[in-house]
Amino acid sequence: MSSGVISMAVAPWILACGFLLCSSSFLGTEGAIGVNYGMLGNNLPSPAQVISMYKAKNINYVRLFHPDTAVLAALRNSGIGVVLGTYNEDLARLASDPSFAASWVSSYVQPFAAAVSFRYINAGNEVIPGDPAANVLPAMRNLDAALKAAGISGIPVTTAVATSVLGVSYPPSQGAFSEAASPYMAPIVAYLASRGAPLLVNVYPYFAYAADAERVQLGYALLSASQSASVTDGGVTYTNMFDAIVDAAHAAVEKATGGQAVELVVSETGWPSGGGGVGATVENAAAYNNNLIRHVSGGAGTPRRPGKPVETYLFAMFNENQKPEGVEQHFGLFQPDMTEVYHVDFAASS
């Protein structure tokens, strides 16, 4: 590792609780932007109101952390692309009991498949490495089989991982899965490669910045065009941490698959607007999300994958009062009363 502010800034990626991916196989020439619809609040609008908000704000993609039939019903004929997750606590049964996977599909996919545009189903969120990790691939296989048995095609089954799966993240070209994660990630990415399915990754430059704000340049984390910091790696230059994290994940996947391509989708990324954390301000949150939308929507890809759009989901639609106190309650773009926390220009992603 070379010396300097930015080279040190990249090391804390592993501390972040999210990760990123890019999916050119399922997109046109521009990156798609969606928003995570979290529901850990006791004061949130109704699903019908929320989906109406998505449409009014030109948000064309949504990620659901767990199946909710009221939300899925509201999504019928909306034209909004949907990433549908399973509960982590359901992974063990999904992995061990094919009939449970079939029931899951018959309850949450089959009744809606004709009128809801499902993009992916993710089996579990951020459970690798950890005790439930061994259940992820069997659950994916059983869900795949259940979809096929139900006559439903074209919905890739995958999982969502955090940056904790990376043992090496700097420089990006040296990205590799950790010893703890590799026994699970290697067969998962091989399976995804065989299916042409993407991997979902949750990417949070904010947490890397907050962990080492004295050495991480804020503009590098915020994708600020005016910042002067950069990282050079193998003849390519990184001007923002988002691209660098994504490409570290690309490198890890390529090492694990022997060079086979698996596209990445950034299933979560965001910046808190409050809660007392370092750099957690309305101004920084607005800058990060608006800069990110412009960057992704341009379709330039990353230095490792130039020209390949990065499908990206912002976290999250609302400030959620049942999340842990602190910054976790302040990632929302909107208040529960549907007013803006700050303005985000989704027209740029249309």
Side-chain angles (χ1 to χ4, degrees), residues 98 101-103 105 141-152:
S103 175
V105 167
R141 291 182 185 277
N142 283 341
L143 286 167
D144 256 335
L147 289 168
K148 183 177 180 181
I152 300 170

Side-chain angles (χ1 to χ4, degrees), residues 156-213:
V157 178
T158 180
T159 191
V161 298
T163 44
S164 53
V165 299
L166 290 179
V168 177
S169 59
Y170 181 86
S173 62
Q174 299 304 306
F177 294 125
S178 69
E179 288 186 11
S182 187
Y184 308 105
M185 292 305 303
I188 285 171
V189 294
Y191 183 78
L192 294 173
S194 73
R195 293 293 194 274
L199 175 66
L200 309 188
V201 185
N202 301 333
V203 176
Y204 285 97
Y206 169 74
F207 290 109
Y209 169 75
D212 197 3

Side-chain angles (χ1 to χ4, degrees), residues 171-176 246-256 264 304:
S173 62
Q174 299 304 306
V246 174
D247 277 355
H250 279 134
V253 168
E254 289 163 15
K255 287 181 177 68
L264 304 182
R304 193 177 184 91

Side-chain angles (χ1 to χ4, degrees), residues 19-32 119-120 158-159 192 196-203 242-243 245-247 249-250 253-254 261-268 295-296 299-313:
F19 202 31
L20 154 81
L21 277 96
C22 146
S23 179
S24 61
S25 301
F26 311 97
L27 297 173
T29 57
E30 297 180 346
R119 290 185 69 70
Y120 324 112
T158 180
T159 191
L192 294 173
L199 175 66
L200 309 188
V201 185
N202 301 333
V203 176
F242 178 88
D243 282 352
I245 298 175
V246 174
D247 277 355
H250 279 134
V253 168
E254 289 163 15
V262 173
E263 301 301 338
L264 304 182
V265 171
V266 181
S267 40
E268 291 177 38
H295 179 64
V296 170
T302 65
R304 193 177 184 91
R305 300 275 184 95
K308 292 196 173 185
V310 181
E311 181 177 349
T312 302
Y313 292 78

Side-chain angles (χ1 to χ4, degrees), residues 12-346:
W13 292 346
I14 299 171
L15 301 176
C17 62
F19 202 31
L20 154 81
L21 277 96
C22 146
S23 179
S24 61
S25 301
F26 311 97
L27 297 173
T29 57
E30 297 180 346
I33 291 285
V35 179
N36 286 261
Y37 177 6
M39 303 176 197
L40 293 178
N42 59 14
N43 55 355
L44 299 179
S46 70
Q49 289 175 300
V50 174
I51 301 310
S52 292
M53 281 185 68
Y54 271 75
K55 295 175 71 174
K57 302 294 182 181
N58 295 308
I59 306 170
N60 298 318
Y61 301 87
V62 61
R63 180 183 175 213
L64 306 177
F65 288 94
H66 61 267
D68 184 300
T69 53
V71 176
L72 291 168
L75 282 161
R76 281 193 172 111
N77 301 311
S78 66
I80 295 172
V82 180
V83 181
L84 179 61
T86 71
Y87 281 110
N88 286 345
E89 49 266 39
D90 283 345
L91 282 173
R93 285 190 68 193
L94 287 168
S96 63
D97 186 355
S99 67
F100 181 69
S103 175
W104 195 94
V105 167
S106 68
S107 296
Y108 304 122
V109 182
Q110 203 163 6
F112 305 98
V116 172
S117 178
F118 289 107
R119 290 185 69 70
Y120 324 112
I121 291 171
N122 65 278
N125 182 55
E126 297 189 345
V127 299
I128 303 169
D131 290 341
N135 294 319
V136 174
L137 184 54
M140 289 167 56
R141 291 182 185 277
N142 283 341
L143 286 167
D144 256 335
L147 289 168
K148 183 177 180 181
I152 300 170
S153 61
I155 306 177
V157 178
T158 180
T159 191
V161 298
T163 44
S164 53
V165 299
L166 290 179
V168 177
S169 59
Y170 181 86
S173 62
Q174 299 304 306
F177 294 125
S178 69
E179 288 186 11
S182 187
Y184 308 105
M185 292 305 303
I188 285 171
V189 294
Y191 183 78
L192 294 173
S194 73
R195 293 293 194 274
L199 175 66
L200 309 188
V201 185
N202 301 333
V203 176
Y204 285 97
Y206 169 74
F207 290 109
Y209 169 75
D212 197 3
E214 291 187 2
R215 291 186 291 181
V216 178
Q217 292 196 18
L218 180 61
Y220 186 71
L222 291 178
L223 295 89
S224 173
S226 62
Q227 63 87 33
S228 59
S230 63
V231 168
T232 301
D233 175 25
V236 299
T237 299
Y238 290 87
T239 59
N240 66 79
M241 190 181 290
F242 178 88
D243 282 352
I245 298 175
V246 174
D247 277 355
H250 279 134
V253 168
E254 289 163 15
K255 287 181 177 68
T257 61
Q260 285 184 284
V262 173
E263 301 301 338
L264 304 182
V265 171
V266 181
S267 40
E268 291 177 38
T269 190
W271 196 282
S273 63
V278 176
T281 67
V282 169
E283 293 76 16
N284 287 344
Y288 180 80
N289 283 314
N290 282 291
N291 289 342
L292 183 71
I293 288 173
R294 285 191 290 270
H295 179 64
V296 170
S297 298
T302 65
R304 193 177 184 91
R305 300 275 184 95
K308 292 196 173 185
V310 181
E311 181 177 349
T312 302
Y313 292 78
L314 304 182
F315 183 85
M317 194 67 171
F318 299 104
N319 284 335
E320 299 168 66
N321 65 1
Q322 292 178 323
K323 298 205 76 175
E325 290 187 11
V327 297
E328 293 287 337
Q329 294 187 358
H330 294 271
F331 273 86
L333 309 180
F334 299 93
Q335 302 286 5
D337 66 2
M338 299 189 288
T339 59
E340 293 181 338
V341 177
Y342 49 86
H343 182 66
V344 176
D345 182 14
F346 287 100

